[in-house]
mmCIF file of all heavy atoms in Angstrom:
data_model
loop_
_atom_site.group_PDB
_atom_site.id
_atom_site.type_symbol
_atom_site.label_atom_id
_atom_site.label_comp_id
_atom_site.label_asym_id
_atom_site.label_seq_id
_atom_site.Cartn_x
_atom_site.Cartn_y
_atom_site.Cartn_z
ATOM 1 N N LYS A 1 164.780 140.814 54.547
ATOM 2 C CA LYS A 1 165.675 139.829 53.857
ATOM 3 C C LYS A 1 164.905 138.941 52.923
ATOM 4 O O LYS A 1 165.443 138.505 51.869
ATOM 5 C CB LYS A 1 166.494 139.092 54.854
ATOM 6 C CG LYS A 1 167.643 139.864 55.401
ATOM 7 C CD LYS A 1 168.463 139.026 56.331
ATOM 8 C CE LYS A 1 169.713 139.788 56.811
ATOM 9 N NZ LYS A 1 170.541 138.985 57.783
ATOM 10 N N GLY A 2 163.623 138.615 53.265
ATOM 11 C CA GLY A 2 162.885 137.812 52.385
ATOM 12 C C GLY A 2 162.617 138.449 51.005
ATOM 13 O O GLY A 2 162.779 137.782 49.934
ATOM 14 N N ALA A 3 162.444 139.723 50.988
ATOM 15 C CA ALA A 3 162.251 140.373 49.715
ATOM 16 C C ALA A 3 163.621 140.500 48.935
ATOM 17 O O ALA A 3 163.652 140.290 47.757
ATOM 18 C CB ALA A 3 161.739 141.882 49.931
ATOM 19 N N ILE A 4 164.676 140.768 49.688
ATOM 20 C CA ILE A 4 165.998 140.874 49.043
ATOM 21 C C ILE A 4 166.332 139.523 48.408
ATOM 22 O O ILE A 4 166.805 139.476 47.204
ATOM 23 C CB ILE A 4 167.068 141.237 50.138
ATOM 24 C CG1 ILE A 4 166.780 142.648 50.608
ATOM 25 C CG2 ILE A 4 168.451 141.103 49.521
ATOM 26 C CD1 ILE A 4 167.633 142.959 51.935
ATOM 27 N N ASN A 5 166.095 138.443 49.143
ATOM 28 C CA ASN A 5 166.424 137.094 48.618
ATOM 29 C C ASN A 5 165.629 136.774 47.381
ATOM 30 O O ASN A 5 166.122 136.240 46.370
ATOM 31 C CB ASN A 5 166.229 136.062 49.659
ATOM 32 C CG ASN A 5 167.268 136.142 50.821
ATOM 33 O OD1 ASN A 5 168.352 136.679 50.580
ATOM 34 N ND2 ASN A 5 166.926 135.607 51.900
ATOM 35 N N THR A 6 164.281 137.140 47.432
ATOM 36 C CA THR A 6 163.397 136.860 46.290
ATOM 37 C C THR A 6 163.871 137.599 45.098
ATOM 38 O O THR A 6 163.915 137.108 43.965
ATOM 39 C CB THR A 6 161.940 137.149 46.616
ATOM 40 O OG1 THR A 6 161.514 136.295 47.730
ATOM 41 C CG2 THR A 6 160.995 136.956 45.436
ATOM 42 N N LEU A 7 164.191 138.895 45.252
ATOM 43 C CA LEU A 7 164.628 139.754 44.083
ATOM 44 C C LEU A 7 165.954 139.210 43.522
ATOM 45 O O LEU A 7 166.175 139.129 42.277
ATOM 46 C CB LEU A 7 164.730 141.131 44.537
ATOM 47 C CG LEU A 7 163.378 141.814 44.693
ATOM 48 C CD1 LEU A 7 163.602 143.241 45.501
ATOM 49 C CD2 LEU A 7 162.586 141.999 43.495
ATOM 50 N N ASN A 8 166.856 138.782 44.413
ATOM 51 C CA ASN A 8 168.088 138.224 44.004
ATOM 52 C C ASN A 8 167.890 136.964 43.246
ATOM 53 O O ASN A 8 168.556 136.762 42.247
ATOM 54 C CB ASN A 8 169.074 137.964 45.168
ATOM 55 C CG ASN A 8 169.667 139.259 45.637
ATOM 56 O OD1 ASN A 8 169.825 140.227 45.014
ATOM 57 N ND2 ASN A 8 170.060 139.168 46.936
ATOM 58 N N ASP A 9 166.983 136.086 43.654
ATOM 59 C CA ASP A 9 166.637 134.804 42.954
ATOM 60 C C ASP A 9 166.140 135.147 41.557
ATOM 61 O O ASP A 9 166.298 134.345 40.659
ATOM 62 C CB ASP A 9 165.560 134.016 43.722
ATOM 63 C CG ASP A 9 166.170 133.378 44.963
ATOM 64 O OD1 ASP A 9 167.392 133.387 45.161
ATOM 65 O OD2 ASP A 9 165.368 132.964 45.828
ATOM 66 N N LEU A 10 165.490 136.268 41.352
ATOM 67 C CA LEU A 10 164.912 136.645 40.043
ATOM 68 C C LEU A 10 165.912 137.484 39.288
ATOM 69 O O LEU A 10 165.592 137.985 38.224
ATOM 70 C CB LEU A 10 163.603 137.388 40.281
ATOM 71 C CG LEU A 10 162.451 136.530 40.803
ATOM 72 C CD1 LEU A 10 161.308 137.426 41.251
ATOM 73 C CD2 LEU A 10 161.994 135.552 39.797
ATOM 74 N N SER A 11 167.103 137.671 39.765
ATOM 75 C CA SER A 11 168.175 138.495 39.020
ATOM 76 C C SER A 11 167.713 139.924 38.839
ATOM 77 O O SER A 11 168.050 140.493 37.870
ATOM 78 C CB SER A 11 168.602 137.803 37.806
ATOM 79 O OG SER A 11 169.101 136.561 38.080
ATOM 80 N N ILE A 12 167.000 140.362 39.814
ATOM 81 C CA ILE A 12 166.587 141.784 39.737
ATOM 82 C C ILE A 12 167.462 142.616 40.694
ATOM 83 O O ILE A 12 167.572 142.364 41.851
ATOM 84 C CB ILE A 12 165.025 141.996 40.136
ATOM 85 C CG1 ILE A 12 164.197 141.290 39.137
ATOM 86 C CG2 ILE A 12 164.665 143.451 40.230
ATOM 87 C CD1 ILE A 12 162.742 141.175 39.541
ATOM 88 N N PRO A 13 168.172 143.712 40.168
ATOM 89 C CA PRO A 13 169.066 144.457 40.950
ATOM 90 C C PRO A 13 168.177 145.139 42.076
ATOM 91 O O PRO A 13 167.188 145.696 41.822
ATOM 92 C CB PRO A 13 169.611 145.481 40.053
ATOM 93 C CG PRO A 13 169.150 145.201 38.696
ATOM 94 C CD PRO A 13 168.107 144.126 38.747
ATOM 95 N N VAL A 14 168.786 145.114 43.304
ATOM 96 C CA VAL A 14 168.104 145.617 44.454
ATOM 97 C C VAL A 14 169.064 146.457 45.270
ATOM 98 O O VAL A 14 170.253 146.178 45.363
ATOM 99 C CB VAL A 14 167.503 144.525 45.360
ATOM 100 C CG1 VAL A 14 168.491 143.614 45.898
ATOM 101 C CG2 VAL A 14 166.662 145.104 46.501
ATOM 102 N N GLU A 15 168.528 147.657 45.735
ATOM 103 C CA GLU A 15 169.369 148.535 46.576
ATOM 104 C C GLU A 15 168.552 148.722 47.846
ATOM 105 O O GLU A 15 167.332 148.985 47.779
ATOM 106 C CB GLU A 15 169.551 149.861 45.857
ATOM 107 C CG GLU A 15 170.647 150.713 46.367
ATOM 108 C CD GLU A 15 170.894 151.851 45.501
ATOM 109 O OE1 GLU A 15 171.359 151.692 44.338
ATOM 110 O OE2 GLU A 15 170.654 153.014 45.942
ATOM 111 N N VAL A 16 169.242 148.630 48.994
ATOM 112 C CA VAL A 16 168.548 148.712 50.279
ATOM 113 C C VAL A 16 169.084 149.896 51.091
ATOM 114 O O VAL A 16 170.323 150.110 51.165
ATOM 115 C CB VAL A 16 168.763 147.426 51.128
ATOM 116 C CG1 VAL A 16 168.020 147.467 52.410
ATOM 117 C CG2 VAL A 16 168.348 146.191 50.281
ATOM 118 N N HIS A 17 168.133 150.634 51.739
ATOM 119 C CA HIS A 17 168.504 151.811 52.542
ATOM 120 C C HIS A 17 167.668 151.862 53.792
ATOM 121 O O HIS A 17 166.481 151.397 53.816
ATOM 122 C CB HIS A 17 168.324 153.135 51.766
ATOM 123 C CG HIS A 17 169.206 153.217 50.574
ATOM 124 N ND1 HIS A 17 170.511 153.597 50.696
ATOM 125 C CD2 HIS A 17 168.999 152.987 49.286
ATOM 126 C CE1 HIS A 17 171.055 153.675 49.429
ATOM 127 N NE2 HIS A 17 170.124 153.250 48.562
ATOM 128 N N VAL A 18 168.151 152.562 54.809
ATOM 129 C CA VAL A 18 167.400 152.897 55.998
ATOM 130 C C VAL A 18 167.061 154.394 55.925
ATOM 131 O O VAL A 18 168.028 155.216 55.928
ATOM 132 C CB VAL A 18 168.127 152.567 57.323
ATOM 133 C CG1 VAL A 18 167.338 153.040 58.521
ATOM 134 C CG2 VAL A 18 168.401 151.046 57.407
ATOM 135 N N PHE A 19 165.797 154.705 55.798
ATOM 136 C CA PHE A 19 165.304 156.101 55.773
ATOM 137 C C PHE A 19 164.048 156.122 56.741
ATOM 138 O O PHE A 19 163.210 155.225 56.562
ATOM 139 C CB PHE A 19 164.923 156.658 54.443
ATOM 140 C CG PHE A 19 166.019 156.798 53.463
ATOM 141 C CD1 PHE A 19 166.050 156.222 52.217
ATOM 142 C CD2 PHE A 19 167.157 157.604 53.794
ATOM 143 C CE1 PHE A 19 167.059 156.358 51.283
ATOM 144 C CE2 PHE A 19 168.175 157.780 52.925
ATOM 145 C CZ PHE A 19 168.108 157.193 51.655
ATOM 146 N N SER A 20 164.011 157.121 57.508
ATOM 147 C CA SER A 20 162.809 157.233 58.360
ATOM 148 C C SER A 20 161.945 158.398 57.875
ATOM 149 O O SER A 20 162.478 159.528 57.590
ATOM 150 C CB SER A 20 163.208 157.554 59.826
ATOM 151 O OG SER A 20 162.154 157.939 60.586
ATOM 152 N N ALA A 21 160.617 158.200 57.806
ATOM 153 C CA ALA A 21 159.692 159.296 57.388
ATOM 154 C C ALA A 21 159.719 160.402 58.373
ATOM 155 O O ALA A 21 159.533 161.577 58.090
ATOM 156 C CB ALA A 21 158.299 158.736 57.244
ATOM 157 N N HIS A 22 160.038 160.019 59.621
ATOM 158 C CA HIS A 22 160.054 161.046 60.735
ATOM 159 C C HIS A 22 161.390 161.584 61.123
ATOM 160 O O HIS A 22 161.514 162.724 61.497
ATOM 161 C CB HIS A 22 159.336 160.399 61.917
ATOM 162 C CG HIS A 22 158.035 159.820 61.596
ATOM 163 N ND1 HIS A 22 157.786 158.431 61.595
ATOM 164 C CD2 HIS A 22 156.882 160.469 61.336
ATOM 165 C CE1 HIS A 22 156.498 158.210 61.263
ATOM 166 N NE2 HIS A 22 155.938 159.445 61.059
ATOM 167 N N ARG A 23 162.455 160.742 61.049
ATOM 168 C CA ARG A 23 163.762 161.109 61.511
ATOM 169 C C ARG A 23 164.754 161.568 60.393
ATOM 170 O O ARG A 23 165.668 162.322 60.685
ATOM 171 C CB ARG A 23 164.433 160.082 62.362
ATOM 172 C CG ARG A 23 163.624 159.747 63.625
ATOM 173 C CD ARG A 23 164.293 158.643 64.428
ATOM 174 N NE ARG A 23 164.240 157.375 63.795
ATOM 175 C CZ ARG A 23 163.237 156.478 63.891
ATOM 176 N NH1 ARG A 23 162.214 156.689 64.712
ATOM 177 N NH2 ARG A 23 163.336 155.327 63.261
ATOM 178 N N THR A 24 164.430 161.163 59.123
ATOM 179 C CA THR A 24 165.243 161.581 58.013
ATOM 180 C C THR A 24 164.282 161.958 56.771
ATOM 181 O O THR A 24 164.533 161.433 55.713
ATOM 182 C CB THR A 24 166.262 160.507 57.610
ATOM 183 O OG1 THR A 24 165.511 159.300 57.177
ATOM 184 C CG2 THR A 24 167.203 160.182 58.677
ATOM 185 N N PRO A 25 163.413 162.836 57.039
ATOM 186 C CA PRO A 25 162.407 163.097 55.977
ATOM 187 C C PRO A 25 163.065 163.706 54.755
ATOM 188 O O PRO A 25 162.640 163.365 53.589
ATOM 189 C CB PRO A 25 161.408 164.060 56.716
ATOM 190 C CG PRO A 25 162.215 164.655 57.751
ATOM 191 C CD PRO A 25 163.125 163.612 58.301
ATOM 192 N N LYS A 26 164.018 164.506 54.941
ATOM 193 C CA LYS A 26 164.693 165.166 53.733
ATOM 194 C C LYS A 26 165.398 164.127 52.870
ATOM 195 O O LYS A 26 165.182 164.170 51.631
ATOM 196 C CB LYS A 26 165.657 166.249 54.158
ATOM 197 C CG LYS A 26 166.349 166.957 52.975
ATOM 198 C CD LYS A 26 167.416 167.969 53.440
ATOM 199 C CE LYS A 26 168.037 168.666 52.307
ATOM 200 N NZ LYS A 26 168.226 167.984 50.986
ATOM 201 N N GLN A 27 166.166 163.266 53.535
ATOM 202 C CA GLN A 27 166.851 162.252 52.771
ATOM 203 C C GLN A 27 165.876 161.220 52.057
ATOM 204 O O GLN A 27 166.049 160.861 50.954
ATOM 205 C CB GLN A 27 167.830 161.449 53.729
ATOM 206 C CG GLN A 27 168.984 162.245 54.146
ATOM 207 C CD GLN A 27 168.622 163.169 55.424
ATOM 208 O OE1 GLN A 27 167.499 163.260 55.875
ATOM 209 N NE2 GLN A 27 169.642 163.865 55.821
ATOM 210 N N ALA A 28 164.761 160.910 52.805
ATOM 211 C CA ALA A 28 163.748 160.067 52.159
ATOM 212 C C ALA A 28 163.146 160.664 50.951
ATOM 213 O O ALA A 28 162.975 160.068 49.854
ATOM 214 C CB ALA A 28 162.754 159.661 53.237
ATOM 215 N N CYS A 29 162.749 161.937 51.071
ATOM 216 C CA CYS A 29 162.120 162.715 50.010
ATOM 217 C C CYS A 29 163.101 162.904 48.873
ATOM 218 O O CYS A 29 162.689 162.756 47.641
ATOM 219 C CB CYS A 29 161.569 164.022 50.498
ATOM 220 S SG CYS A 29 160.264 163.800 51.658
ATOM 221 N N ASP A 30 164.357 163.153 49.144
ATOM 222 C CA ASP A 30 165.355 163.321 48.067
ATOM 223 C C ASP A 30 165.502 162.007 47.319
ATOM 224 O O ASP A 30 165.627 161.981 46.053
ATOM 225 C CB ASP A 30 166.731 163.759 48.598
ATOM 226 C CG ASP A 30 166.719 165.269 49.072
ATOM 227 O OD1 ASP A 30 165.769 165.942 48.715
ATOM 228 O OD2 ASP A 30 167.718 165.593 49.782
ATOM 229 N N PHE A 31 165.537 160.855 48.036
ATOM 230 C CA PHE A 31 165.732 159.599 47.376
ATOM 231 C C PHE A 31 164.548 159.387 46.372
ATOM 232 O O PHE A 31 164.733 159.009 45.286
ATOM 233 C CB PHE A 31 165.858 158.485 48.374
ATOM 234 C CG PHE A 31 166.024 157.100 47.775
ATOM 235 C CD1 PHE A 31 167.317 156.636 47.476
ATOM 236 C CD2 PHE A 31 164.932 156.359 47.382
ATOM 237 C CE1 PHE A 31 167.506 155.478 46.844
ATOM 238 C CE2 PHE A 31 165.109 155.157 46.776
ATOM 239 C CZ PHE A 31 166.418 154.644 46.516
ATOM 240 N N ALA A 32 163.366 159.522 46.967
ATOM 241 C CA ALA A 32 162.161 159.224 46.118
ATOM 242 C C ALA A 32 162.094 160.203 44.953
ATOM 243 O O ALA A 32 161.744 159.734 43.839
ATOM 244 C CB ALA A 32 160.915 159.501 46.997
ATOM 245 N N SER A 33 162.427 161.482 45.068
ATOM 246 C CA SER A 33 162.363 162.397 43.986
ATOM 247 C C SER A 33 163.359 162.064 42.885
ATOM 248 O O SER A 33 163.115 162.383 41.666
ATOM 249 C CB SER A 33 162.709 163.792 44.501
ATOM 250 O OG SER A 33 161.726 164.239 45.438
ATOM 251 N N ASN A 34 164.457 161.413 43.198
ATOM 252 C CA ASN A 34 165.495 161.103 42.212
ATOM 253 C C ASN A 34 165.418 159.650 41.843
ATOM 254 O O ASN A 34 166.243 159.223 40.918
ATOM 255 C CB ASN A 34 166.851 161.376 42.804
ATOM 256 C CG ASN A 34 167.082 162.875 43.055
ATOM 257 O OD1 ASN A 34 166.798 163.708 42.148
ATOM 258 N ND2 ASN A 34 167.403 163.245 44.204
ATOM 259 N N ALA A 35 164.553 158.779 42.344
ATOM 260 C CA ALA A 35 164.584 157.381 42.104
ATOM 261 C C ALA A 35 164.391 156.972 40.636
ATOM 262 O O ALA A 35 165.108 156.156 40.166
ATOM 263 C CB ALA A 35 163.511 156.693 42.981
ATOM 264 N N LYS A 36 163.486 157.563 39.961
ATOM 265 C CA LYS A 36 163.272 157.330 38.577
ATOM 266 C C LYS A 36 164.528 157.589 37.713
ATOM 267 O O LYS A 36 164.973 156.746 36.909
ATOM 268 C CB LYS A 36 162.077 158.052 37.978
ATOM 269 C CG LYS A 36 161.628 157.602 36.673
ATOM 270 C CD LYS A 36 160.234 158.265 36.305
ATOM 271 C CE LYS A 36 159.785 157.678 34.999
ATOM 272 N NZ LYS A 36 158.522 158.256 34.572
#
């Protein structure tokens, strides 16, 4: 939440997700691959 609040204070759009490197590796990798 500290990071979210700081980014909001700077008017930088932020998106938050829960992904596990071990329990949701496919979803984490898909997110990273498409992030740009």
Side-chain angles (χ1 to χ4, degrees):
K1 280 186 179 179
I4 296 167
N5 293 339
T6 298
L7 291 167
N8 285 335
D9 289 346
L10 293 167
S11 301
I12 297 172
V14 61
E15 195 172 298
V16 182
H17 296 279
V18 176
F19 292 125
S20 167
H22 306 108
R23 295 180 297 268
T24 60
K26 181 184 182 325
Q27 291 81 358
C29 294
D30 288 347
F31 182 89
S33 296
N34 295 308
K36 189 172 186 179

